[in-house]
Amino acid sequence: PKRVRETLSGSGVFEAGQRDVTLENSHITDTAVVLVTLTSNPGPAVMQYVSLQPSAGFTLHLSSPATMKTSFNYVILSGELF
């Protein structure tokens, strides 16, 4: 259903000076795959890793704090939903 698809993708921002962003999402499992695309320049930082909190959400981690507001898109892949 369309409603589920909408909750499996989205967008957000790292504010200037922010290194980590946590997003709530009940669809996260310990085997979920979260794909992230930065859609603006964070400065010298790069996407480092994603930590999962099953049934709660996930946290995106940059290698260093963003030097400017940085937007991103994400999609969650979970075999349990297919």
Side-chain angles (χ1 to χ4, degrees):
K2 186 174 184 183
R3 172 180 240 140
V4 171
R5 249 183 267 130
E6 289 174 352
T7 63
L8 295 177
S9 64
S11 59
V13 296
F14 286 92
E15 296 296 337
Q18 195 173 23
R19 184 177 184 160
D20 306 304
V21 171
T22 299
L23 298 165
E24 294 180 11
N25 193 301
S26 62
H27 293 293
I28 294 296
T29 65
D30 58 352
T31 59
V33 174
V34 180
L35 303 175
V36 179
T37 300
L38 296 178
T39 55
S40 61
N41 187 356
V46 295
M47 235 348 264
Q48 189 170 26
Y49 68 101
V50 177
S51 55
L52 306 175
Q53 295 87 42
S55 301
F58 58 95
T59 302
L60 307 177
H61 304 272
L62 293 176
S63 59
S64 60
T67 58
M68 60 196 83
K69 188 172 185 174
T70 304
S71 57
F72 61 86
N73 294 328
Y74 67 89
V75 63
I76 300 166
L77 306 177
S78 176
E80 294 175 13
L81 297 174
F82 301 106

